[in-house]
Amino acid sequence: MQHGSRILSISAAAMPILACAAALTLSAGLWMAWSVPPDARQGEAVRILFVHVPAAWTALLAFLLMAGCSVAVLAGDHPMADIAAETAAPLGAVFTALGLATGSIWGKPMWGAWWVWDGRLTSFLLLFLLYLGIIALRGSFDTPARAGRSTALLTIVGAIDLPVVVLSVEWWTSLHQGASILRKGGSTMAPVYLTPLLVMAAGYTLLFFWLWLVRMRTVVLARRALRTVQEADA
Amino acid sequence: MSGDYGLFVDAAYGLSAVVLMATAAVSWLKYCRARRKG
């Protein structure tokens, strides 16, 4: 079987389904997000959470998936795992940047500051810098094979930041609110706000997987075209 | 939208929409180019 054939056949079937599911879920989520009543304390600003939290969750998910792919790269030198890690990094950086920006936009009216150097915000900023570092490191190599192993190592080391982001609000005194959804004893968020948040999170996740498949197909096709040219030249 | 903090809400949703749509558009265009070459 030609290199990357399996991902091409799987993604050909999955991409239209993911695209439709993402569009429908995001449409439903946006309609729900704009239909909820203003919060008693946050007012209309509560609606920002429906785009901020899913962006942050997707950013963490993308890095977790990259770390899993990186383990596969180092353990088995698997070329598809390397392509998966390579293509997830720019997407993760975009979702992290969105999480930082929308969090900042929420922080100004709620905290009176665009930014504070507390544990959650700083560790999430570090996640963004890790994404940029991984992208830059990969770009500094000439061959994909050498780039793959180096970036895999950096990704696995960088994954230490993931539990720090999640647990930072428990470890240190933080202006950022503590865990209110994924916590022992269940969510403390009112269902009227929790439902649109979870729907939007599902929409962001579906969108991420669609984008990931699109980018993986792009890299597989580009490398095939390059190989064809090299074989023709030889 | 109107009301308290409406400008911040509009900014957050506007920024998210622009960034995500731009990411999707760039990814799709790159994919179309690779498909033509491949």
Side-chain angles (χ1 to χ4, degrees):
Chain A
M1 184 183 274
Q2 199 176 358
H3 169 64
S5 294
R6 191 182 295 168
I7 190 68
L8 288 179
S9 60
I10 292 170
S11 59
M15 270 169 49
I17 298 168
L18 279 173
C20 291
L24 287 172
T25 312
L26 285 172
S27 302
L30 282 172
W31 179 77
M32 292 165 88
W34 286 80
S35 304
V36 297
D39 181 63
R41 281 184 291 182
Q42 298 183 38
E44 297 286 356
V46 73
R47 297 183 208 286
I48 298 173
L49 299 183
F50 304 135
V51 287
H52 165 66
V53 178
W57 281 355
T58 312
L60 293 170
L61 173 69
F63 207 97
L64 191 64
L65 291 169
M66 278 169 56
C69 293
S70 298
V71 170
V73 168
L74 289 182
D77 203 17
H78 198 297
M80 263 325 294
D82 183 38
I83 290 175
E86 176 188 351
T87 49
L91 296 175
V94 165
F95 283 102
T96 311
L98 269 183
L100 286 167
T102 52
S104 187
I105 293 169
W106 181 86
K108 181 60 181 170
M110 291 298 105
W111 298 341
W114 296 105
W115 183 262
V116 288
W117 290 100
D118 86 344
R120 171 60 67 84
L121 275 70
T122 307
S123 57
F124 201 70
L125 177 65
L126 179 62
L127 184 72
F128 181 61
L129 297 176
L130 278 166
Y131 272 122
L132 296 186
I134 287 164
I135 294 166
L137 182 63
R138 186 175 286 279
S140 68
F141 286 93
D142 294 331
T143 55
R146 287 178 62 205
R149 295 188 72 79
S150 301
T151 50
L153 195 61
L154 178 59
T155 306
I156 291 167
V157 172
I160 295 168
D161 190 42
L162 296 180
V164 177
V165 172
V166 174
L167 297 171
S168 55
V169 287
E170 292 177 23
W171 289 347
W172 301 295
T173 304
S174 175
L175 199 53
H176 195 284
Q177 69 184 69
S180 54
I181 299 162
L182 301 171
R183 61 187 291 278
K184 286 176 189 169
S187 169
T188 55
M189 189 179 254
V192 69
Y193 298 118
L194 181 63
T195 307
L197 181 64
L198 293 179
V199 173
M200 285 295 283
Y204 269 58
T205 306
L206 289 165
L207 178 65
F208 167 77
F209 278 109
W210 177 74
L211 287 165
W212 199 19
L213 283 182
V214 168
R215 296 181 73 89
M216 276 197 270
R217 280 181 74 90
T218 305
V219 172
V220 169
L221 289 171
R223 287 190 186 174
R224 274 189 180 183
L226 182 67
R227 210 163 28 246
T228 308
V229 170
Q230 286 170 341
E231 284 168 3
D233 288 345
Chain B
M1 75 172 295
S2 59
D4 291 342
Y5 312 130
L7 192 63
F8 293 96
V9 179
D10 290 344
Y13 277 77
L15 181 71
S16 299
V18 167
V19 169
L20 290 178
M21 284 194 287
T23 305
V26 169
S27 300
W28 189 254
L29 286 173
K30 281 184 175 176
Y31 168 60
C32 290
R33 196 187 303 159
R35 203 168 50 174
R36 269 200 307 275
K37 286 182 182 172

